[in-house]
Structures are given as structure tokens and as C-alpha cells.
């Protein structure tokens, strides 16, 4: 189909500064939501982090905000079990989602989060962009495809953020970036730039801050 995907360029100095200022400002946990009826009023721009269980969503929020324990990160997959809303300044909600594709928790509980996750991704009017996290070690998997297709159908622009880049060698990194770009060809809702990150080492964090600051 000829869609072209590239790595996000390094931000210009002023964009980098806008991103830095946004994330250096106030950020507060608002609430954890377990049903659509609990969502805060849709009164401001919103962006979210989605991805397989354990891919590094909560860690990325902590890295972006420079606050170690703002979002609960953990070695145990299935850590985040609610839709967690954070107010980033007064004009934005940043949303940490439960992971998908995790089979180890009790079936009924997993089914409940998954249903909520899908309802949220399909039905949140103020959701401006979904950042879909993909582990640099693994690339796009079948469970990711299901979510990407749902975002296409819902016309929610999504941008891939590759995580845990510190865990792979150069060859694996290049191969899996290419695999992700090839997989995105099928997805009209995909934003054409992807960001490679490491919450552990800080790679890509300034770039991601800068591009979040440009969302409007
Ligand atoms: N080396 C390395 N480890 C990471 C990175 N990001 C996350 N991790 C580790 O990966 C594990 C899972 O991270 P979380 O941030 O809790 O993942 P999550 O996507 O929020 O997981 P759920 O809430 O269960 O869906 C933790 O042990 C993190 O320390 C990274 O950039 N590099
Ligand atoms: Mg989490």
C-alpha cells in the first residue's frame, strides 16, 4: 500500500523545551477507573498508553514524568488493573491502561479488563492519540494486531512506541523496527513515525515528551 514509516526525528530545541516544561510541571493521579461510567468528564485532550501486559507502559509514564512511582510498575504482568487517569497540567489527561494478552490471571477478571480497555479505546471522544507500546525484543504480535485493528475501526490515531530498547543488540533492534514498520502497512490509523525508547536508559524520552507537547 506504500505507506511510509520512519523513526521520529530528534526534536528541534524549542520542541524539546516545550516537552521538558510540560512534564516538569504538575502531574497528579486523578482516579483509577473500572467501568466506563467512572470515566472523568471528557473535557480536555487525552492520550493513552496501550500495549501487551508487561511491555512497559507504567514504566514509560514514570520515565516521562521523572517520578519513579507515579504509575505502579512491576515485574508481575497484569499489574495495572484499572484505567488510571493522570492530569498533566490542566489541559491534558495522560492515561495508563491495563495490558492486554495476559493469560495468567483469573479468566473472569481478565475478560473484564479487556472489555473495558476495548470500550475505552473505541468510545472516548477526547482521546487524541493512543500510544501503542511494542517490545523491541518481540515486535508486533498477534494480540497487538487485534488492538491495532480496533483502533483502525474506531479511527483513533495510534503511534507505536518501541520499549526496552536497552535489552536488545543492534541487529535485533533493526530487524524488529523493520518488522513493526511492515506490520503497520496494513493499518490506516497508524501515525507514520515510530519512537524507540528505553525507560531504563532514557533513550527516546525527550523525543516523546516533545511530541506529546505538540498534540492539540
Ligand atoms: N530493561 C528495561 N526494563 C524495563 C523497561 N521498561 C519497563 N521495564 C521492566 O518491565 C517490567 C514491566 O514494566 P511495567 O511498566 O510494569 O509494564 P506494564 O506494561 O505497565 O505492565 P502491566 O501493567 O502489567 O500491563 C518491569 O519489571 C520494568 O522494570 C525498559 O525500558 N528497560
Ligand atoms: Mg502497568
Amino acid at each position: 500500500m506504500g505507506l511510509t514509516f520512519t523513526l521520529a526525528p530528534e526534536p528541534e530545541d524549542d520542541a524539546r523545551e516545550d516537552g521538558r516544561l510540560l512534564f516538569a510541571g504538575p502531574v497528579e493521579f486523578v482516579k483509577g477507573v473500572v467501568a466506563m461510567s467512572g470515566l472523568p468528564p471528557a473535557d480536555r485532550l487525552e492520550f493513552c498508553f496501550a500495549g501487551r501486559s508487561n511491555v512497559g507502559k507504567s514504566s514509560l509514564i514514570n520515565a516521562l514524568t521523572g517520578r519513579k512511582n507515579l504509575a505502579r510498575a512491576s515485574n508481575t504482568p497484569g499489574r495495572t488493573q484499572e484505567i488510571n487517569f493522570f492530569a498533566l497540567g490542566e489541559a491534558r489527561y495522560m492515561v495508563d491502561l491495563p495490558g492486554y494478552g495476559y493469560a495468567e490471571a483469573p479468566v473472569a477478571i481478565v475478560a473484564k479488563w479487556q472489555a473495558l480497555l476495548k470500550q475505552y479505546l473505541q468510545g472516548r471522544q477526547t482521546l487524541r492519540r493512543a500510544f501503542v507500546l511494542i517490545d523491541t525484543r518481540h515486535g508486533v504480535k498477534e494480540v497487538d494486531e487485534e488492538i491495532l485493528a480496533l483502533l483502525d475501526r474506531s479511527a483513533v490515531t495510534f503511534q507505536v512506541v518501541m520499549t526496552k530498547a536497552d535489552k536488545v543488540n543492534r541487529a535485533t533492534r533493526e530487524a524488529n523496527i523493520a518488522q513493526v514498520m511492515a506490520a503497520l502497512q496494513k493499518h490506516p490509523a497508524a501515525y507514520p513515525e515510530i519512537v524507540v525508547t528505553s525507560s531504563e536508559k532514557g533513550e527516546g524520552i525527550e523525543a516523546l515528551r516533545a511530541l506529546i507537547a505538540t498534540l492539540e
Side-chain angles (χ1 to χ4, degrees):
M1 280 194 293
L3 298 174
T4 308
F5 292 89
T6 58
L7 295 177
E10 278 300 303
E12 304 284 341
D13 287 348
D14 48 353
R16 189 186 301 269
E17 182 61 6
D18 289 348
R20 189 188 69 76
L21 285 172
L22 176 63
F23 281 90
V27 46
E28 257 175 61
F29 177 70
V30 177
K31 69 186 302 200
V33 172
V34 294
M36 289 295 278
S37 58
L39 293 177
D43 61 0
R44 64 193 79 180
L45 183 158
E46 195 163 303
F47 61 93
C48 69
F49 297 101
R52 291 172 72 201
S53 204
N54 215 44
V55 71
K57 298 172 293 295
S58 299
S59 300
L60 188 64
I61 287 179
N62 292 336
L64 285 166
T65 57
R67 292 150 172 94
K68 260 193 163 347
N69 296 308
L70 184 66
R72 274 201 283 170
S74 140
N75 241 323
T76 314
R79 182 63 185 151
T80 306
Q81 307 191 353
E82 303 180 336
I83 297 182
N84 287 320
F85 280 78
F86 300 89
L88 179 64
E90 296 196 334
R92 292 175 177 82
Y93 279 136
M94 171 167 67
V95 178
D96 188 16
L97 294 172
Y100 52 77
Y102 173 58
E104 306 298 310
V107 174
I109 304 218
V110 175
K112 195 169 163 247
W113 311 336
Q114 306 295 294
L116 176 64
L117 170 71
K118 290 179 182 175
Q119 285 166 1
Y120 168 80
L121 289 174
Q122 286 173 304
R124 184 68 166 167
Q125 278 185 344
T126 43
L127 180 59
R128 192 60 40 84
R129 189 169 301 178
F131 292 98
V132 177
L133 277 53
I134 302 288
D135 193 319
T136 308
R137 295 173 297 179
H138 306 310
V140 174
K141 297 286 189 188
E142 215 165 292
V143 287
D144 296 311
E145 287 288 358
E146 194 188 325
I147 295 293
L148 301 186
L150 179 147
L151 292 166
D152 286 336
R153 287 198 301 277
S154 315
V156 173
T157 300
F158 69 85
Q159 181 162 17
V160 167
V161 175
M162 296 185 66
T163 62
K164 307 192 187 184
D166 59 284
K167 290 202 168 203
V168 298
N169 63 28
R170 173 70 49 182
T172 305
R173 173 190 178 108
E174 297 305 329
N176 286 342
I177 289 173
Q179 189 264 3
V180 168
M181 288 181 177
L184 292 180
Q185 294 284 328
K186 298 191 293 285
H187 295 288
Y191 190 81
E193 293 174 358
I194 72 175
V195 188
V196 181
T197 66
S198 164
S199 296
E200 189 84 15
K201 302 281 184 227
E203 176 180 355
I205 300 301
E206 288 189 335
L208 192 52
R209 285 185 190 132
L211 74 87
I212 288 169
T214 67
L215 295 178
E216 50 180 37

